[in-house]
Amino acid sequence: MTSVLIDPQLGARITGDVARRIPDTVAWRASTAPTMVPTVQAAETLTDLEDGADVWDGAVGLGFGCGPAAALVRSGRARRAVLIDPAGIQACDSGLELVWSVPMYHPDGPQRPYETIIEALGDDEFRDSPSVVLDDVKEAERQVAPYAPPYSTVKVLFSSALKDLSPTGPYPREGYTAYAALAYGTQVTSDPALCERATTMWQEAEEARQPYDETLPFQPAEASIEDLNWLSAWTDPGLDITIWLSSENHALARPLARRGPGHPLIEQPWRSLVWLTDPQRLADALTAWSGA
């Protein structure tokens, strides 16, 4: 097998149909860590990958899988990588994380006080000036607004009723529906069949990890955080790493280009659920990238 597709949260549930369409490609399994914290899931996935003897020609990361994919290139276990819609929280970059998190705060729901957050963190926390960070955030809000689901669909995630749920699971299906809607926006809220599919995918993945272990930390160990920093790997001139951004994530292009001028960064025309809606299109793009 020469290429591996990595998504710690969903595994082959989302990457499998693409992997089957590309020769010598495997969809790595979802994390089995008993937690719903994706950064911890990613750390467990990287350990799982490194414990094996495989050396890959290509590693393809999706979301929180971008940290493990970049780490494989850095360690020499993969020759190159594509990072698709990388998770800003793994980049150890406060400005980038703020822009990445914009879709999680619905435009007609609870508003996030970005000016206050930036001021409270202080200038030393950011690579850019506070005004530039705020401009990036405002641009992200403008770009993601057309993709946002109705707040009525996702409000359960902001409800005080969540405090009454067991911290170890299981959870009602409406919670997974809201999670899918917040993650994928109008892709699922305008398509009931796709919404059902995405909801089932998330519910199955999380219930397989339940009951959650309440003693696990909310962050991986410091060494793992450094290993999973895809931004530092992408900006390393000695590593062959490319970033692809789906249309909902184009707002990350501007701050990323400032951090890695000249490094491979492509704004793709498809939406983030292309893995499910048009797997052949993504398989063709990855096949072209790999030269297979």
Side-chain angles (χ1 to χ4, degrees):
M1 298 176 183
T2 59
S3 294
V4 59
L5 309 187
I6 307 167
D7 183 324
Q9 294 177 283
L10 300 173
R13 291 177 178 85
I14 193 167
T15 59
D17 203 12
V18 174
R20 284 190 290 272
R21 298 164 189 265
I22 308 173
D24 300 321
T25 297
V26 62
W28 201 257
R29 55 190 167 273
S31 170
T32 58
T35 177
M36 66 185 307
V37 180
T39 51
V40 177
Q41 294 169 1
E44 191 264 354
T45 294
L46 179 57
T47 298
D48 192 22
L49 283 158
E50 291 182 331
D51 282 347
D54 298 293
V55 177
W56 309 95
D57 178 66
V60 179
L62 172 61
F64 283 91
C66 293
L72 290 177
V73 179
R74 185 167 15 218
S75 67
R77 295 290 295 274
R79 186 168 67 88
R80 54 184 176 165
V82 167
L83 313 181
I84 303 178
D85 299 329
I89 197 172
Q90 288 180 316
C92 302
D93 184 308
S94 295
L96 203 61
E97 182 180 342
L98 281 180
V99 176
W100 170 77
S101 69
V102 164
M104 302 175 195
Y105 295 86
H106 197 274
D108 64 357
Q111 298 301 297
R112 198 176 191 198
Y114 288 104
E115 294 91 340
T116 302
I117 293 171
I118 293 169
E119 182 179 355
L121 289 173
D123 293 0
D124 293 343
E125 187 69 19
F126 299 100
R127 298 190 183 199
D128 302 305
S129 68
S131 62
V132 170
V133 175
L134 191 57
D135 283 346
D136 287 341
V137 167
K138 296 301 182 184
E139 177 62 18
E141 289 181 318
R142 185 189 69 78
Q143 289 192 29
V144 304
Y147 300 118
Y151 180 62
S152 58
T153 307
V154 301
K155 66 180 180 180
V156 64
L157 297 177
F158 302 96
S159 170
S160 59
L162 289 177
K163 298 177 182 178
D164 299 327
L165 296 177
S166 167
T168 61
Y171 303 117
R173 186 168 175 83
E174 66 175 347
Y176 296 108
T177 300
Y179 196 92
L182 196 62
Y184 304 122
T186 53
Q187 289 178 96
V188 294
T189 56
S190 62
D191 185 337
L194 185 59
C195 186
E196 279 297 299
R197 189 178 177 190
T199 297
T200 297
M201 183 174 64
W202 278 106
Q203 185 168 1
E204 289 178 352
E206 290 303 332
E207 288 184 349
R209 290 185 276 262
Q210 293 169 359
Y212 299 130
D213 183 350
E214 293 182 85
T215 66
L216 289 179
F218 285 95
Q219 286 290 336
E222 187 64 34
S224 291
I225 291 175
E226 294 175 4
D227 289 342
L228 294 167
N229 185 338
W230 54 263
L231 181 62
S232 65
W234 175 63
T235 54
D236 185 331
L239 302 180
D240 187 350
I241 298 177
T242 299
I243 291 178
W244 290 0
L245 299 176
S246 301
S247 56
E248 299 100 307
N249 294 296
H250 285 180
L252 286 170
R254 186 168 69 181
L256 279 172
R258 289 198 305 270
R259 286 154 174 78
H263 289 264
L265 172 63
I266 300 174
E267 296 176 68
Q268 298 288 8
W270 55 63
R271 295 193 65 179
S272 59
L273 267 183
V274 65
W275 296 84
L276 299 184
T277 60
D278 196 354
Q280 189 61 54
R281 184 182 190 186
L282 185 54
D284 289 345
L286 288 171
T287 299
W289 165 77
S290 68

